[in-house]
């Protein structure tokens, strides 16, 4: 289901040069000077896999709360100042943020003027393209296989869906044939270890935990065990905390330092799980956790329960940390890789 980077096998030797193909007949094209120009062949668009089509339907349904107010902007009869004012208000209400809103609005106005568009549906299509370009820097597949094990450290505030996201990610990794080891380093929250153990049992993967142990010690043991057992992936579940809890943020820094002691190149990925419902507060979390941990990626959850899905545009504009996965439901298949074009189309469907 997911696209992962892997170590590439050595490239095969280049084939021997083929004999020159006979020149095409003059009827196949036209002449410019003495050169024969073959007719342009437009490649057929790649078919969208049925699985991805199903995801697009769920994504569109999940983003309906955010997208409905945006789509209503383009139901009028003409493009005018009133439409632009409504669009600005709708983008701000979707928690797109001032900077991203101004960027998108200016781009729509520029393209409308350049193309001579007069119908609102044309402005909508221009917005889809502008939003796609803004979100494009957030596209990046999670790299698995470049390190053995690949150590993934996962952070987030309580209630963001951190442990559930780890469970879903573990399931997909296991389905891809990866061997996974989980580290139950969330020793603060009641039943956190048990919740992770349920996912480990469900996915038939191993888990390292301690009764009331120090979170950093659990992480050290897990990374060491992952190396010894030649696991493909070690996922570290850290305790949920607010970025304003300075002593707990320092604990996260300690965990990162200890993981590096266990494996010099680790952690290879530092992911932050954010709740789409939190809107602009999600952007504040990204900035705070990045300052503490040097984030490599995001998992954005619960986009189906919010009208604030525009926050991804704010993140792209102000703190473009890659979004590896987005979630729009509780089922395993409701966590998928992020695609800027898909997101823009679903948001404005």
């Amino acid at each position: 289901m997911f696209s992962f980077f892997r170590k590439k096998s050595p490239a095969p030797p280049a084939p021997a040069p083929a004999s020159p193909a006979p020149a095409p007949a003059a009827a196949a094209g036209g002449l410019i000077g003495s050169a024969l120009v073959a007719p342009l062949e437009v490649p057929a668009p790649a078919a969208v896999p049925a699985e991805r089509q199903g995801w697009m339907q769920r994504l569109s349904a999940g983003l309906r709360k955010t997208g409905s107010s945006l789509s209503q902007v383009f139901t009028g009869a003409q493009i005018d100042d009133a439409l632009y004012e409504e669009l600005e208000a709708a983008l701000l209400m979707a928690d797109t943020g001032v900077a991203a809103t101004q960027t998108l609005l200016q781009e729509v106005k520029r393209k409308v003027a350049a193309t001579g568009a007069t119908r609102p549906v044309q402005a909508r299509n221009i917005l889809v393209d502008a939003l796609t370009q803004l979100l494009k820097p957030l596209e990046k597949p999670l790299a698995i296989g470049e390190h053995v094990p690949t150590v993934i450290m996962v952070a987030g505030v309580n209630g963001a869906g951190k442990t559930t996201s780890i469970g879903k990610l573990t399931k997909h990794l296991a389905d891809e044939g990866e061997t996974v080891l989980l580290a139950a380093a969330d020793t603060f929250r009641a039943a956190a270890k048990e919740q992770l153990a349920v996912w480990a049992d469900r996915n038939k993967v191993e888990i390292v935990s301690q009764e009331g142990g120090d979170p950093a010690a659990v992480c050290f043991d897990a990374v060491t065990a992952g190396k010894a057992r030649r696991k493909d992936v070690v996922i570290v579940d850290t305790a949920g905390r607010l970025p304003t809890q300075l002593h707990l943020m320092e604990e996260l820094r300690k965990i990162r330092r200890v993981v590096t002691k266990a494996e010099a190149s680790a952690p290879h990925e530092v992911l932050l799980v954010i709740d789409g419902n939190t809107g602009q507060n999600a952007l504040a979390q990204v900035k705070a956790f990045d300052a503490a941990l040097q984030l490599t990626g995001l998992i954005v959850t619960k986009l189906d329960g919010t009208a604030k899905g525009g926050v991804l545009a704010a993140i792209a504009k102000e703190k473009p940390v890659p979004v590896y996965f987005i979630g729009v439901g509780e089922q395993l298949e409701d966590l998928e890789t992020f695609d800027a074009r898909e997101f823009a189309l679903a948001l404005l469907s």
Side-chain angles (χ1 to χ4, degrees):
M1 181 175 292
F2 297 139
S3 298
F4 296 110
F5 285 134
R6 287 187 173 278
K7 291 181 179 178
K8 295 182 179 178
S9 54
S19 300
L31 286 172
I32 298 180
S34 60
L36 181 67
V37 180
L40 177 66
E41 293 185 5
V42 180
V48 179
E51 182 182 76
R52 204 69 189 184
Q53 290 178 348
W55 163 248
M56 276 296 295
Q57 292 172 356
R58 294 194 302 276
L59 181 60
S60 296
L63 291 173
R64 193 162 292 144
K65 288 186 178 180
T66 302
S68 59
S69 59
L70 287 169
S71 298
Q72 287 174 5
V73 173
F74 304 103
T75 56
Q78 61 184 346
I79 300 175
D80 52 19
D81 289 341
L83 181 145
Y84 290 134
E85 289 177 7
E86 290 178 24
L87 177 57
E88 182 177 23
L91 287 170
L92 291 172
M93 288 294 293
D95 266 359
T96 304
V98 174
T101 294
Q102 291 305 312
T103 295
L104 292 171
L105 200 59
Q106 289 169 10
E107 184 64 9
V108 171
K109 288 180 178 180
R110 185 185 71 81
K111 283 284 185 67
V112 165
T115 60
T118 57
R119 292 178 296 144
V121 66
Q122 293 173 297
R124 171 201 167 274
N125 293 338
I126 290 171
L127 178 59
V128 169
D129 290 339
L131 183 57
T132 298
Q133 291 307 308
L134 180 62
L135 295 174
K136 206 70 177 175
L138 301 186
E139 280 188 15
K140 182 184 176 184
L142 177 63
I144 298 294
E146 295 177 1
H147 303 275
V148 180
T150 298
V151 181
I152 303 173
M153 182 176 168
V154 185
V157 304
N158 282 327
K162 176 171 54 67
T163 303
T164 300
S165 294
I166 289 174
K168 291 179 179 180
L169 178 56
T170 300
K171 168 70 167 124
H172 290 305
L173 286 168
D175 287 348
E176 291 288 330
E178 310 291 348
T179 56
V180 182
L181 178 66
L182 301 179
D186 186 350
T187 58
F188 294 104
R189 181 168 64 89
K193 181 183 69 174
E194 288 76 13
Q195 183 184 0
L196 195 65
V198 169
W199 281 106
D201 182 64
R202 188 180 301 174
N203 296 318
K204 296 180 173 56
V205 301
E206 297 179 44
I207 184 171
V208 172
S209 62
Q210 295 179 5
E211 284 293 337
D214 176 71
V218 175
C219 296
F220 186 90
D221 290 348
V223 174
T224 302
K227 291 168 61 180
R229 302 172 195 175
R230 299 293 294 173
K231 297 295 183 182
D232 295 316
V233 183
V234 174
I235 303 179
V236 176
D237 181 17
T238 64
R241 62 208 61 211
L242 294 172
T244 53
Q245 297 171 311
L246 300 181
H247 63 294
L248 293 181
M249 292 297 283
E250 182 54 41
E251 181 70 31
L252 274 180
R253 294 186 184 93
K254 176 184 175 183
I255 289 174
R256 182 184 174 105
R257 292 194 299 269
V258 169
V259 166
T260 304
K261 286 182 180 179
E263 171 55 48
S265 63
H268 307 109
E269 299 284 350
V270 181
L271 308 186
L272 177 68
V273 178
I274 56 177
D275 181 345
N277 287 285
T278 57
Q280 284 292 298
N281 189 44
L283 176 59
Q285 290 177 27
V286 172
K287 291 179 178 178
F289 278 90
D290 183 59
L293 298 174
Q294 296 80 58
L295 299 176
T296 62
L298 305 176
I299 300 176
V300 185
T301 66
K302 307 181 185 180
L303 285 168
D304 54 318
T306 180
K308 301 177 179 180
V311 70
L312 266 68
I315 291 172
K317 183 66 178 177
E318 300 184 46
K319 195 66 179 177
V321 177
V323 176
Y324 285 143
F325 308 108
I326 55 176
V328 291
E330 295 299 322
Q331 302 303 313
L332 284 171
E333 62 270 20
D334 293 329
L335 182 74
E336 255 291 5
T337 48
F338 174 74
D339 181 282
R341 183 72 177 178
E342 287 180 352
F343 188 87
L345 287 169
L347 192 64
L348 291 159
S349 62

